[in-house]
Amino acid sequence: MKKVLKLPRRLQVGPGPPLEIRAAGRRAAPGEPPSASQVGFTLRRPRRGTLLVTWHGLGEFAIERGRTITARRFDDASWSEFRDLVLTNIPGFALLERGVETLHSSGVEINGRAVAFAGCAGSAKSTLAALFFRRGCRVLTDDLLPVQVVGKHVQAYPSFAEIKLMPEAARALRVHPSRLFRMTPPMRKFICKVRAPKGPRRLAAVYFPALSTTSRRVILRPLSRREAFHNLLAYNFNAVLITRRRLRRLLALCARIAERVPARRLLIPRDWRRLDEVAARIEADLESLRR
């Protein structure tokens, strides 16, 4: 099992040209505590067209006109956390610079159509992506799903295709060890390498999964347009860079997705043996939407 995954030099994420990624070496952290999860990040615009993201304890990222990312890692920062930022959160900022919105969602291609699993951390998004990957589907993304309305349809775009899995999920899904890369501490997860398709896919459905500690049944419930709108708004990937222009765009996008794409609440029992049942329910639901 390989221990280190490198950064790509080019990253195709969302519409438009690929992002250019430039590694700028390392530097001492400017006095922040090492835990990025506790203290978050700060944003600056040192000049027009440049957004500087300082993720406390991990690194600095200069985004130029939404096209290039210059990433500098802080000393003693976790390599896995730093790399994960470069491939997920930071491209989310870059896409916003281009005017492209993203969902906090994993995405898979099922029978030529995109299906999104949107939710917060720990809602089983990655597990569902890996589940359908095991069943022969292609993975669009694990965390960052760019979306656009094109004509009467909503298009979902591939992002960097890796699936982050907890060890117990990797074992339950029987992922072959040759596909797994262990993330460095403090992250306990494995990375499962997959290959994303090229180009967008029509978004057929959005599922909002949650794990249940009480229910033993798989529950799939259609959401009203109003419920879908509120959930889509809650699970956009970046809720920080809010301007009047961006807010209008985001509200309009969520309303259009809620009108044009069926949405479902998905309640999953905390029982790995039920995963194939979960997949079967989703596949049957998607088939019903074709009629």
Side-chain angles (χ1 to χ4, degrees), residues 53-221:
V53 184
T54 302
W55 211 287
H56 305 313
L58 290 179
E60 292 178 339
F61 310 90
I63 302 169
E64 302 283 350
R65 301 188 180 279
R67 296 188 177 187
T68 64
I69 296 172
T70 302
R72 187 182 299 275
R73 179 184 170 199
F74 291 153
D75 291 337
D76 301 323
S78 161
W79 168 249
S80 287
E81 287 187 293
F82 173 80
R83 180 179 179 276
D84 190 52
L85 282 177
V86 178
L87 299 180
T88 53
N89 297 70
I90 303 305
F93 283 107
L95 288 176
L96 280 183
E97 295 291 279
R98 298 182 183 183
V100 178
E101 294 292 339
T102 56
L103 295 178
H104 190 188
S105 170
S106 63
V108 295
E109 180 189 351
I110 302 176
N111 296 325
R113 299 180 299 167
V115 175
F117 302 108
C120 58
S123 60
K125 301 187 307 295
S126 299
T127 300
L128 289 168
L131 172 63
F132 280 96
F133 172 69
R134 192 190 71 179
R135 296 169 74 90
C137 299
R138 292 194 288 182
V139 176
L140 298 175
T141 183
D142 179 34
D143 227 15
L144 179 78
L145 184 67
V147 288
Q148 277 191 331
V149 176
V150 180
K152 296 182 179 180
H153 304 301
V154 178
Q155 300 280 42
Y157 290 80
S159 184
F160 195 69
E162 292 181 347
I163 308 174
K164 297 185 288 292
L165 293 170
M166 296 297 288
E168 54 270 26
R171 288 193 298 269
L173 291 163
R174 299 188 294 277
V175 180
H176 196 277
S178 64
R179 287 191 174 274
L180 295 176
F181 298 78
R182 187 184 295 275
M183 302 181 80
T184 57
M187 302 186 80
R188 294 181 52 235
K189 295 183 177 182
F190 287 99
I191 287 176
C192 176
K193 295 289 289 183
V194 296
R195 181 175 294 179
K198 294 183 179 179
R201 299 293 188 272
R202 176 183 170 185
L203 186 60
V206 180
Y207 296 88
F208 297 96
L211 291 172
S212 173
T213 57
T214 57
S215 176
R216 296 183 179 181
R217 297 187 301 122
V218 178
I219 299 176
L220 191 63
R221 180 177 68 85

Side-chain angles (χ1 to χ4, degrees), residues 196-267:
K198 294 183 179 179
R201 299 293 188 272
R202 176 183 170 185
L203 186 60
V206 180
Y207 296 88
F208 297 96
L211 291 172
S212 173
T213 57
T214 57
S215 176
R216 296 183 179 181
R217 297 187 301 122
V218 178
I219 299 176
L220 191 63
R221 180 177 68 85
L223 297 181
S224 68
R225 291 181 179 178
R226 180 178 180 179
E227 290 173 315
F229 172 81
H230 285 291
N231 278 277
L232 290 163
L233 194 60
Y235 297 124
N236 74 86
F237 198 83
N238 190 317
V240 177
L241 283 177
I242 296 294
T243 63
R244 289 183 180 179
R245 181 178 180 182
R246 193 239 165 160
L247 185 58
R248 288 194 295 268
R249 182 181 70 217
L250 179 60
L251 292 173
L253 176 67
C254 290
R256 289 175 183 173
I257 297 176
E259 290 171 357
R260 302 176 190 192
V261 180
R264 307 285 194 257
R265 172 69 65 192
L266 177 63
L267 193 61

Side-chain angles (χ1 to χ4, degrees), residues 22-47:
R22 302 169 182 171
R26 297 171 63 172
R27 58 158 289 187
E32 295 91 354
S35 176
S37 62
Q38 294 179 3
V39 296
F41 54 86
T42 56
L43 305 174
R44 287 195 301 115
R45 290 195 180 274
R47 55 187 176 274

